[in-house]
């Protein structure tokens, strides 16, 4: 921790810890929003999809800040930081559409309850997210740290 980081270890360890936190955070948000939307909307598909969209927006903002400053220790500012955020959201948008397709498949076809299916969708995206952020979002010229 001599570099001032609050989480020790390499990038992969920090990614896993931040990812675990953001997963729990996102799941808690999904659960809360789903509880509300399932009472508002008659159609269950509308309830869990609405919860998924709202959760995604909140969780992406949280994830960007944590991954930028803690996981990948990005120091970009100004215009470069805006482009970094754009690349970050591109990676998450790809995962979002994956989730929008995969979640209904798991619920409607595989018969898995939405609260469990969203965990499966989240787990499936972990490797893709790490790779996308490492090689695309927070890419560096010096990649000596793993």
């Amino acid at each position: 921790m001599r570099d001032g980081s609050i989480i020790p270890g390499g990038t992969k360890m920090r990614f896993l810890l931040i990812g675990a936190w953001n997963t729990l955070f996102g799941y808690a948000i999904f659960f809360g929003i789903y509880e509300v939307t399932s009472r508002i909307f008659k159609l269950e598909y509308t309830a869990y999809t609405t919860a998924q969209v709202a959760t995604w927006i909140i969780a992406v903002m949280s994830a960007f800040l944590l991954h930028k400053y803690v996981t990948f220790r990005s120091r970009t500012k100004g215009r470069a930081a805006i482009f970094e955020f754009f690349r970050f959201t591109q990676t998450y948008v790809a995962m979002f559409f994956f989730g929008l397709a995969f979640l209904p498949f798991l619920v409607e076809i595989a018969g898995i309850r939405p609260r469990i299916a969203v965990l499966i969708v989240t787990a499936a995206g972990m490797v893709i997210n790490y790779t996308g952020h490492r090689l695309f979002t927070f890419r560096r010229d010096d990649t000596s740290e793993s």
Side-chain angles (χ1 to χ4, degrees), residues 22-34 47-56 59 95-96 98-108 110-126 129:
N22 209 54
T23 298
L24 292 173
F25 176 68
Y27 186 67
I29 292 169
F30 176 84
F31 183 79
I33 294 173
Y34 178 67
Y48 69 74
T49 303
T50 301
Q52 183 183 22
V53 170
T55 298
W56 184 82
M95 290 310 303
F96 176 70
F98 166 77
L100 278 180
F102 196 41
L103 183 63
F105 170 81
L106 292 174
V107 174
E108 306 299 333
I112 299 171
R113 298 185 54 79
R115 290 182 182 99
I116 302 300
V118 76
L119 290 175
I120 295 169
V121 169
T122 300
M126 218 149 108
N129 270 331

Side-chain angles (χ1 to χ4, degrees), residues 13-80:
M13 178 58 74
R14 292 189 305 269
F15 181 84
L16 289 173
L17 291 171
I18 295 299
W21 160 254
N22 209 54
T23 298
L24 292 173
F25 176 68
Y27 186 67
I29 292 169
F30 176 84
F31 183 79
I33 294 173
Y34 178 67
E35 286 300 312
V36 172
T37 58
S38 66
R39 294 179 199 321
I40 295 171
F41 299 110
K42 190 177 245 182
L43 188 61
E44 186 178 34
Y45 172 83
T46 305
Y48 69 74
T49 303
T50 301
Q52 183 183 22
V53 170
T55 298
W56 184 82
I57 292 167
I58 295 165
V60 165
M61 297 305 290
S62 169
F64 174 72
L65 294 172
L66 291 171
H67 283 310
K68 175 178 178 54
Y69 294 110
V70 179
T71 303
F72 296 100
R73 299 177 180 162
S74 172
R75 291 188 171 93
T76 60
K77 294 179 182 184
R79 184 180 224 166

